Amino acid sequence: SLPAKLINGGIAGLIGVTCVFPIDLAKTRLQNQQNGQRMYSSLSDCLIKTIRSEGYFGMYRGAAVNLTLVTPEKAIKLAANDFFRHHLSKDGKNLTLLKEMLAGCGAGTCQVIVTTPMEMLKIQLQDAGRIAAQRKLMAEQAPLSSSPAAAAAGPAVERRPTATQITRELLRSKGIAGLYKGLGATLLRDVPFSIVYFPLFANLNKLGQKDPNVKAPFYVSFLSGCVAGSTAAVAVNPCDVIKTRLQSLQRGVNEDTYSGILDCTKKIWQREGPTAFFKGAYCRALVIAPLFGIAQVVYFVGIAEFLLDMLPKRQA
């Protein structure tokens, strides 16, 4: 049933995000730093420096936004894919690869309604610590440097904006469109991701089914979600880098600004080289693999069906 699908998707998202959020924060910071202003050299370096400067809970900055919006986001994504698969297979035959890709495309398109504002707010909160640390470093180096940029950095005053403050400011200055900055880039990332992920997961999951009418064991669904998720994540990482850069409202010292997808792509290619499009790719794979592995296990095990079945008994 649709309520069960939505509950399953929501529970899956909450569990997955809680487990992998620190890696996602490192991914955002690694993708946003540009040549000449590098604060972190790797995933572990980013996490260690974050804990030292911001404490353990610094790794979860922006998690509240994700935990609030990931329920509708994952619910829409998983339920939409099932909806399109159901309507594309009315003849009772197995879906062709093309129809599986079309179902994934539909799911990816539907989810951006929630994904875009969620990512927009999350990125501001995740990257605030990097910008503050960079300004602090520039301020410390200013007396020893004749660089105008370093001198202009001034004393470091870390601002900790909240999601509510950012939302109010965007709505006040730009209206609802402010929360949907980077919508095109989000579509560019999420639609290809779903086109790759859902058919790959479905076919890998089938390999573990002894009978077409019986669900695959939970570990098969988990491994299928991990493999399909990490594969799709790395494949669309260049789009994720562009999306992250476009949605960042604040920039570090001497960092580029972008007017759109093509401008962002051109500047990254010219100034940072093609390898920059794969910044944070391994972080994203580490985030997406368990996130979607957990999501598919929860979704296919059917926790919601159990909860919904218990409701009449409790009422009685």
Side-chain angles (χ1 to χ4, degrees):
S1 65
L2 181 60
K5 289 175 182 177
L6 296 176
I7 293 170
N8 277 333
I11 293 172
L14 290 172
I15 295 172
V17 167
T18 303
C19 293
V20 302
F21 193 83
I23 304 174
D24 186 62
L25 178 137
K27 186 257 329 173
T28 297
R29 293 188 177 186
L30 289 170
Q31 286 183 339
N32 262 337
Q33 65 179 7
Q34 300 178 21
N35 289 346
Q37 302 294 336
R38 295 172 61 87
M39 292 294 301
Y40 316 107
S41 59
S42 64
L43 167 63
S44 58
D45 181 55
C46 180
L47 293 178
I48 290 169
K49 287 180 178 177
T50 299
I51 293 172
R52 284 176 179 171
S53 61
E54 302 170 56
Y56 175 77
F57 290 105
M59 295 191 299
Y60 281 88
R61 293 187 68 175
V65 174
N66 245 34
L67 291 172
T68 301
L69 296 179
V70 75
T71 299
E73 190 252 359
K74 283 290 177 287
I76 290 171
K77 188 186 190 86
L78 295 173
N81 182 64
D82 271 6
F83 173 82
F84 288 117
R85 288 178 70 90
H86 172 72
H87 284 277
L88 288 169
S89 61
K90 279 191 172 181
D91 55 4
K93 298 179 182 179
N94 289 332
L95 287 176
T96 63
L97 179 60
L98 178 60
K99 287 186 176 181
E100 288 183 332
M101 293 172 72
L102 285 173
C105 178
T109 304
C110 290
Q111 78 171 79
V112 298
I113 297 170
V114 177
T115 303
T116 305
M118 179 182 76
E119 292 271 312
M120 176 72 177
L121 295 172
K122 181 193 73 172
I123 286 170
Q124 314 316 315
L125 298 171
Q126 286 182 329
D127 206 36
R130 179 189 71 89
I131 294 172
Q134 186 193 86
R135 288 174 179 169
K136 181 179 179 180
L137 180 63
M138 295 292 287
E140 290 172 351
Q141 294 175 347
L144 305 176
S145 171
S146 59
S147 169
V157 178
E158 184 176 359
R159 297 178 62 190
R160 291 178 177 269
T162 65
T164 304
Q165 290 171 342
I166 295 170
T167 302
R168 285 176 179 171
E169 177 59 27
L170 286 171
L171 290 175
R172 185 189 64 79
S173 60
K174 300 182 180 179
I176 193 68
L179 290 173
Y180 281 86
K181 182 180 180 183
L183 175 62
T186 305
L187 280 168
L188 192 64
R189 181 197 67 172
D190 287 350
V191 171
F193 178 93
S194 296
I195 289 173
V196 174
Y197 172 78
F198 283 111
L200 183 56
F201 169 79
N203 286 282
L204 289 173
N205 200 52
K206 280 179 187 176
L207 297 177
Q209 291 180 280
K210 295 180 181 179
D211 187 304
N213 298 317
V214 179
K215 290 180 180 179
F218 80 92
Y219 64 87
V220 172
S221 292
F222 176 76
L223 291 174
S224 299
C226 288
V227 173
S230 57
T231 301
V234 174
V236 302
N237 197 75
C239 301
D240 189 57
V241 172
I242 294 168
K243 183 200 72 68
T244 300
R245 297 279 183 96
L246 288 175
Q247 288 188 321
S248 297
L249 298 177
Q250 293 189 40
R251 303 286 177 191
V253 180
N254 294 333
E255 290 186 344
D256 290 328
T257 56
Y258 311 103
S259 60
I261 295 173
L262 292 178
D263 180 56
C264 183
T265 304
K266 182 180 177 181
K267 286 180 178 177
I268 292 174
W269 182 278
Q270 291 178 341
R271 300 176 187 181
E272 301 175 60
T275 56
F277 290 105
F278 287 92
K279 283 184 176 181
Y282 64 97
C283 295
R284 184 162 162 75
L286 288 173
V287 169
I288 296 296
L291 181 61
F292 277 83
I294 293 168
Q296 292 295 0
V297 168
V298 173
Y299 197 64
F300 278 84
V301 167
I303 291 176
E305 286 85 346
F306 172 77
L307 295 174
L308 291 171
D309 287 342
M310 291 296 291
L311 286 176
K313 296 178 183 178
R314 292 188 65 182
Q315 290 172 355

